[in-house]
Amino acid sequence: MWSRDELKSRAKEVLNLNYWKVVLVSLISIFVGVNRSTVSFKYSINTRSEDLSSFSYVYPSLSELKYFLAAMYVVFVMVAIMWIFALVLSTFIFQPLAVGCYRYFILCGKQPANIGEVVFVFNRSYINVVTIMFFRGLYTFLWSLLFIIPGIIKAYEYRMIPYLLAENPDISMKEAFSLTRQMMTGDKANTWVLDLSFIGWDLLGVLTCGILNIFYVNPYRHLTNAQLYKTLKQKIAVPSNHRNEYDPQRNPYL
């Protein structure tokens, strides 16, 4: 049975040894992990004061209604295009980069990890990683439609998929979903409590306008989650064809 204090203690030690690189990769993970699309539309009407009481202002003419519907159609098409563009960008660029960030956090320890690991997916099993990450998000979304709670449970159940892909990018989809279920069985509630333990740090981050989050909280959280993955991985038997090329004898945190 793992403890939060143990995971955090190991994460702090790794952070102290690799501080600036971890902060940089954490910044990249923020960029690729949070996609926000804000669209602002401004609509102004210039009318004379005597028009405000006119019947045509309250009940627009058919021609005005046609213009309004046409404008709404254009807005809808623009929003749809932007949404599709954001989805494509997230699926084919941001998600692979996120897996690369997870890989760096896993490999980071007393043995130096190359920051170039962030882009390793683009040279190895790219389509496989993109496909599995897409279906992970899709399945979580579909479960969320049944109410919020099932979606949250499935999000925790699928939590280890990016870490599995980070170490084993050629793993099959069936195997990835099976292994993450095994790893999270009996530990979803404990992982939820682990997440809650960072609330105090998040509040401090808000008080510092996010500065503390950038330079300490997010790196600390990412390394703690990487240590959680390494701990939960001991519950499963990783197939022999999936090997970590980093020497565990030189890095006790692998």
Side-chain angles (χ1 to χ4, degrees):
M1 178 62 184
W2 55 272
S3 68
R4 297 189 303 277
D5 291 340
E6 181 183 0
L7 295 182
K8 290 184 174 182
S9 176
R10 285 155 52 184
K12 289 177 182 176
E13 186 172 351
V14 173
L15 180 59
N16 289 335
L17 293 170
N18 306 270
Y19 180 74
W20 287 110
K21 283 186 178 181
V22 173
V23 169
L24 177 59
V25 177
S26 180
L27 278 172
I28 297 173
S29 71
I30 293 173
F31 176 73
V32 302
V34 181
N35 301 316
R36 294 181 181 178
S37 178
T38 303
V39 182
S40 176
F41 297 99
K42 186 176 293 185
Y43 180 70
S44 61
I45 303 176
N46 295 321
T47 59
R48 294 173 299 179
S49 58
E50 59 267 24
D51 292 335
L52 297 177
S53 58
S54 67
F55 183 81
S56 61
Y57 179 80
V58 180
Y59 298 99
S61 65
L62 182 60
S63 61
E64 290 174 332
L65 183 59
K66 288 181 178 179
Y67 286 127
F68 174 76
L69 292 177
M72 290 301 295
Y73 175 76
V74 172
V75 170
F76 174 80
V77 171
M78 290 176 61
V79 171
I81 292 174
M82 293 177 65
W83 182 84
I84 293 173
F85 176 76
L87 179 63
V88 171
L89 189 64
S90 175
T91 301
F92 293 98
I93 303 296
F94 288 170
Q95 291 297 326
L97 284 174
V99 171
C101 290
Y102 288 126
R103 181 178 176 85
Y104 178 83
F105 294 131
I106 293 171
L107 298 177
C108 187
K110 289 185 177 179
Q111 174 179 308
N114 189 344
I115 202 168
E117 298 288 355
V118 171
V119 296
F120 92 103
V121 170
F122 296 96
N123 297 317
R124 181 178 172 187
S125 303
Y126 172 75
I127 297 300
N128 187 59
V129 171
V130 166
T131 302
I132 295 177
M133 289 295 289
F134 174 79
F135 279 100
R136 171 185 180 250
L138 178 62
Y139 293 159
T140 304
F141 170 74
L142 293 176
W143 277 104
S144 299
L145 295 179
L146 298 178
F147 295 111
I148 297 176
I149 300 300
I152 294 175
I153 293 174
K154 287 299 178 180
Y156 275 94
E157 183 175 293
Y158 302 153
R159 182 166 176 146
M160 294 299 151
I161 286 180
Y163 294 94
L164 289 166
L165 288 171
E167 279 200 311
N168 313 303
D170 55 342
I171 193 172
S172 68
M173 184 182 303
K174 180 179 179 180
E175 190 176 12
F177 279 91
S178 174
L179 292 177
T180 189
R181 291 190 189 99
Q182 295 176 45
M183 294 172 70
M184 295 304 296
T185 297
D187 279 300
K188 287 188 281 291
N190 294 329
T191 304
W192 177 67
V193 174
L194 176 64
D195 289 340
L196 290 179
S197 69
F198 284 95
I199 287 181
W201 285 110
D202 290 331
L203 292 176
L204 289 175
V206 172
L207 294 177
T208 59
C209 299
I211 295 176
L212 185 63
N213 285 336
I214 292 173
F215 291 101
Y216 187 75
V217 180
N218 289 330
Y220 179 28
R221 192 199 317 267
H222 282 304
L223 291 175
T224 300
N225 285 326
Q227 295 301 323
L228 173 64
Y229 165 74
K230 295 171 187 178
T231 300
L232 295 181
K233 191 171 65 170
Q234 299 174 11
K235 297 168 58 176
I236 62 174
V238 179
S240 58
N241 60 320
H242 300 314
R243 296 177 180 175
N244 186 343
E245 62 267 32
Y246 284 73
D247 183 7
Q249 297 297 325
R250 295 171 55 200
N251 191 342
Y253 300 106
L254 291 181

